[in-house]
Amino acid sequence: MTTQEIVSKLWNLCNVLRDDGITYHQYVTELTYILFLKMAKETGVEEQIPAEYRWDQLVSKSGIELKKFYKELLDYLGEECTGRVQQIYHGAVSNIDEPKNIEKIILSIDKLDWYSAKEEGLGNLYEGLLEKNANEKKSGAGQYFTPRVLIDVMTRLMKPQVGELCNDPACGTFGFMIAADQYIKEQTDDLFDLDAEEAHFQKTKAFSGCELVHETHRLALMNAMLHDIEGEITLGDTLTNIGKNMKNFDLVLTNPPFGTKKGGERATREDFTFPTSNKQLNFLQHIYRSLKPNGKARAAVVFPDNVLFADGDGEKIRVDLMEKCNLHTVLRLPTGIFYAQGVKTNVLFFTRGETDQGNTDKVWFYDLRTNMQTFGKTKPLKTEHFKDFELAYNAEDRDAVTDPRWNLFTREDIEKKGNSLDLGLIRDDSIIDYEDLPDPIESAQEAADQLEEAADLLRSVVKELQALTEEK
C-alpha cells in the first residue's frame, strides 16, 4: 500500500465523525493525537510516553471506558509530560462525543499497513494528510498551506546549506523548513556525510519557526517530529516582541498570513522603524532585519500585491528593503493557487547586504501571471510551470535571457514610479513584441484610406457599367 493510499484511508475516516459535528480541521487535530501514539510505537520511541498511556493501552479499551481513558490520556500528556510530547498535547481536548467513533478511528489506524508507511516515511504520510486537508475547501486550511510545488521551487533556488540557521516566522505546519531539511539531505547523502556535531546541529538548531495559531502549532510540532527535526517552534506572534529575538538567520523561507491586524491596531514590536497595521509589511520588516548582515543571508517570501504598491509606510519599507538588501528578483505568481481565490501574490527574493545602504541597483521581474491558465483543485500548479522561470533565475548572464516574461527595472526606474514594485507584468493577454506593433491611430487611418480608395474604385466601375448599358 502506498503513502497516497494510506492517506486516502485516513482521510475517509472523517466521514465517521460527521454525526459528531467535527470539522475537517478538528479531524486532523484529533488524528494527530491518536497518530502520535501509534507512530511512537511503530518508530520505537515510546519511552517518551508513560507506559500506562501508550498505544497498546489505548487500543485495548472500548465503549465508555475508552472515552474516559482517552480524555484522561490527553489531560495527562498535556499537563504532566515534558518536551515535545507535552507541547503536542498541551490544551488538547477531544471533540468526539460518541465512543464508537473514537473506537472505529483507533481500530482503523491500527489495521493500516504500517510497514509500507514506514518504508515511504511517516513524515511523508503526515504531510500528505495535511495537504489533503488544505485542498479540501470546506476545511479552510488552505489559508496557511502553501502549495508544495511552490515551496520546493523557492527552496531549490535558495539552496540551503549544512550549518545554516533557517527560519520561518509564520511557519504554519512547518512545510518550508521540512523542504529545506530534505533539500540538504539530498545534497549530503541523507546526512551520512556529516560528523556528529554537524548532524546534531542539523537536527536540533538548523530549522526553527514561529506559529500563532495553537492548533496549527500542534500540527507543526508533529510534522517536525516525524521528519526527525527538533528545532524550536515557538507558539506566538512574530509581530509582537516575541519576534525581537528571532534574528541572525542565514535563510528565511516563508508565506506570511494575508490581511490586516484586527481593529487596525498598530504593531506592538518596539523595534520596527515603520509600524503599520498591514501585517505583510510588518512581516517584511521583520524578515529582512532578521537576516545576518553578511552579504550572504537570503530570503524568499510570498507576499500579496499590496506589498508592492502600498504608499506611505509601504513605500518607506520598500525603500528600506532595497537599501539594506539586494532585492534581485520578483516573481509575479498566477492566481488561484491559494485557498483565498483571486488573491494575487508574488515571491520576493533578496539578500541582506554587508552594509545598510545602496544594496539594490536593479530588480528582475518574471511574469508567471499573464496569459496563464486558471489554477485550482482540478488544475493544480506543477513543477513544469516554473521551468522557464528557474532557467532565467539561474542564468549566468541574466541579460542574455530572451524570455519575454523576464524584464529588468533599474533602481532609478523604480524610484521614478514612486518606489512601486508593481512592475513586470506583460501588457496584454498574449506574449508579443510590443515594439513591433504599429501605432493604432496610424493603423486606423491607413485602413480608412484603403476603404476610401476601394470606394472610389467601386464608383468608377459602376459608372463604366452604366455607360456600357446606355450604349446598348
Side-chain angles (χ1 to χ4, degrees), residues 49 114 118 147 152 167 197 204 206 261 296 324 326 423:
I49 304 167
W114 287 99
K118 285 189 287 185
D152 288 342
N167 180 260
E197 186 176 345
T204 62
K261 293 180 76 67
K296 297 178 182 179
K324 289 183 170 65
N326 176 17
L423 305 168

Side-chain angles (χ1 to χ4, degrees), residues 14 20 25 34 72 92 102 121 161 163 177 193-194 206 245 277 288 291 300-301 349 360 373 399 403 414:
C14 69
D20 264 353
H25 192 65
I34 301 173
E72 178 186 322
I102 302 175
Q161 303 294 313
M177 295 298 97
D193 296 339
L194 306 184
N245 296 321
S277 62
Y288 66 73
L291 296 171
V301 191
F349 298 87
T360 298
Q373 70 178 67
D399 291 305
D403 190 331
I414 295 169

Side-chain angles (χ1 to χ4, degrees), residues 161-176:
Q161 303 294 313
V162 169
E164 291 189 324
L165 287 170
C166 305
N167 180 260
D168 183 344
C171 68
T173 56
F174 215 55
F176 275 109

Side-chain angles (χ1 to χ4, degrees), residues 84-96:
R84 190 129 293 184
V85 173
Q86 194 272 339
Q87 286 183 301
I88 289 175
Y89 286 96
H90 179 67
V93 177
S94 176
N95 292 288
I96 306 175

Side-chain angles (χ1 to χ4, degrees), residues 356-376:
D356 284 349
Q357 292 183 331
N359 281 290
T360 298
D361 58 4
K362 58 185 177 181
V363 184
W364 287 94
F365 289 78
Y366 194 91
D367 179 9
L368 199 60
R369 183 181 303 171
T370 307
N371 200 31
M372 290 293 289
Q373 70 178 67
T374 300
F375 293 99

Side-chain angles (χ1 to χ4, degrees), residues 17 20 22-37 58 70-71 74 89 92-97 101-102 105-106 109 126 129 215 218-219 222:
L17 304 182
D20 264 353
I22 305 300
T23 66
Y24 286 101
H25 192 65
Q26 287 173 329
Y27 171 65
V28 174
T29 303
E30 204 85 48
L31 269 186
T32 298
Y33 301 154
I34 301 173
L35 278 173
F36 180 91
L37 299 172
L58 183 66
Y70 183 48
K71 182 182 184 304
L74 296 180
Y89 286 96
V93 177
S94 176
N95 292 288
I96 306 175
D97 289 327
N101 287 342
I102 302 175
I105 291 173
I106 292 170
I109 288 174
Y126 192 67
L129 190 64
E215 293 304 317
R218 200 190 308 276
L219 302 181
M222 180 77 164

